[in-house]
Amino acid sequence: MTKHFRFTGPAAAMALCMSASFTLAADVKWDMPMAYPATNYHSENATQFAKEVTEASGGKLEIVTHPGGSLFKGDEIFRAVRTGQAPIGERLISALGNEGPIFELDSLPFLVTNFAESRKLYDTTRPMVEKVLADKGLTLLYTVPWPPQGLYTKNEVNSVADMKGVKFRAYNAATSRLAELMGAVPTKIEAAELTQAFATGAVDSMISSGSTGYDSKLWEHTKYWYNIQAWMPKNMVIVNTEAFNGLDETTRNVVLEKAKVAEDRGWAKAEELANWYVEELAKNGMTVGPAGDQLKADFMAIGETMTGEWLTKAGDAGKAAIDAYKAQ
Ligand code: PCA
């Protein structure tokens, strides 16, 4: 899907003569697939990043974002970037457990519950994530978190027993496992298909941020949002290392510099919007609030089970990652 345009010297001059409104095509164009809606702050942030790179590189590199799973679906994006079908893309990190247990670290229940802790976990474990990506020919550009995760349901839920048999939307292996441990019935569904899945009754419940519930108008299908603050998953923007190395050094530096700017802007935006999203759920008629004591205790117990299972899978490296975070 990478398209290369080269207009230099006479060709460029000719093109300019042909049309006054013609803007000089970029030397290199990168299509950037993303899974979430254009109006979500992750996508808006990436679009801003793309614009800044295009401008600061003087048009040497043009990045064009494709939100909403329009170019590749969410669960295809990682592979597309790894195989070079797309030079750059954005993916939910914790959906990549099959690629390495370290990617699931940010969906371990109750390891981090707020932005400061989430940032600390990221700063401590970024080199480990980068190493796994490097082995796959990928380079991490930046990450942005989702707000804390809460439980969306149609009916009041006082304990995990109330979730028995409920059709539950999962977005990764961890949320599927969580559903199983609750006695619910998980189905993996990408955010782009969420509205339809709830509208058709394929699912009745999920755990996600206020952000994704807002994007999908979940108040049309659910009534409650329990702020479990279960974990804070992140999206990451990755680039195919070969494609990146194909850029000249100045352009590479522009990409890295603007990635850093996008990362800081994205983290700030997530924090700024977190409560606003929850207020919007309430304004649209949902009952929002903390989980009751029993529900909270049940989730804590499930969290311990899941952490134990993850540690078995992730081995010494996993334990080292958690220890390094806790030592900070
Ligand atoms: N929204 C994404 C992942 C986590 C979140 O808050 C989703 O539901 O797909």
Side-chain angles (χ1 to χ4, degrees), residues 151 166-170 175 179 182 184-187 203 205-207:
L151 179 66
V166 171
K167 290 178 277 176
F168 187 87
R169 176 260 175 167
T175 45
M182 291 192 296
V185 185
T187 310
V203 290
S205 173
M206 70 171 181
I207 281 197

Side-chain angles (χ1 to χ4, degrees), residues 104-277:
E104 286 187 329
L105 195 55
D106 69 12
S107 58
L108 280 192
F110 307 113
L111 182 61
V112 308
T113 58
N114 59 47
F115 284 98
E117 289 173 359
S118 174
R119 185 68 197 219
K120 199 170 84 174
L121 181 67
Y122 171 50
D123 289 342
T124 321
T125 55
R126 177 169 175 143
M128 303 171 204
V129 172
E130 283 178 321
K131 168 80 178 67
V132 179
L133 289 173
D135 291 345
K136 296 173 192 291
L138 296 164
T139 301
L140 178 63
L141 288 183
Y142 70 85
T143 70
V144 171
W146 290 95
Q149 306 290 293
L151 179 66
Y152 289 87
T153 60
K154 280 189 185 304
N155 301 315
E156 196 177 325
V157 172
N158 294 309
S159 75
V160 151
D162 294 335
M163 292 299 293
K164 196 160 177 49
V166 171
K167 290 178 277 176
F168 187 87
R169 176 260 175 167
Y171 59 69
N172 60 12
T175 45
S176 290
R177 181 66 183 135
L178 178 94
E180 277 170 20
L181 290 168
M182 291 192 296
V185 185
T187 310
K188 203 113 133 263
I189 295 165
E190 288 292 325
E193 277 88 49
L194 207 52
T195 309
Q196 203 195 350
F198 273 89
T200 58
V203 290
D204 292 325
S205 173
M206 70 171 181
I207 281 197
S208 190
S209 58
S211 176
T212 292
Y214 172 83
D215 288 344
S216 307
K217 296 193 170 66
L218 266 225
W219 51 82
E220 291 179 358
H221 309 290
T222 61
K223 183 108 194 49
Y224 298 87
W225 187 75
Y226 295 97
N227 192 0
I228 314 271
Q229 295 190 272
W231 59 83
M232 297 186 52
K234 297 186 289 290
N235 285 355
M236 65 178 168
V237 171
I238 46 172
V239 64
N240 180 291
T241 306
E242 208 180 303
F244 186 63
N245 288 339
L247 303 172
D248 64 37
E249 196 188 339
T250 315
T251 309
R252 284 202 301 271
N253 285 336
V254 166
V255 172
L256 294 177
E257 190 191 304
K258 297 301 174 191
K260 177 80 187 92
V261 172
E263 181 160 273
D264 290 344
R265 185 177 55 225
W267 278 76
K269 199 75 195 164
E271 193 161 359
E272 179 194 319
L273 286 175
N275 286 339
W276 181 84
Y277 281 128

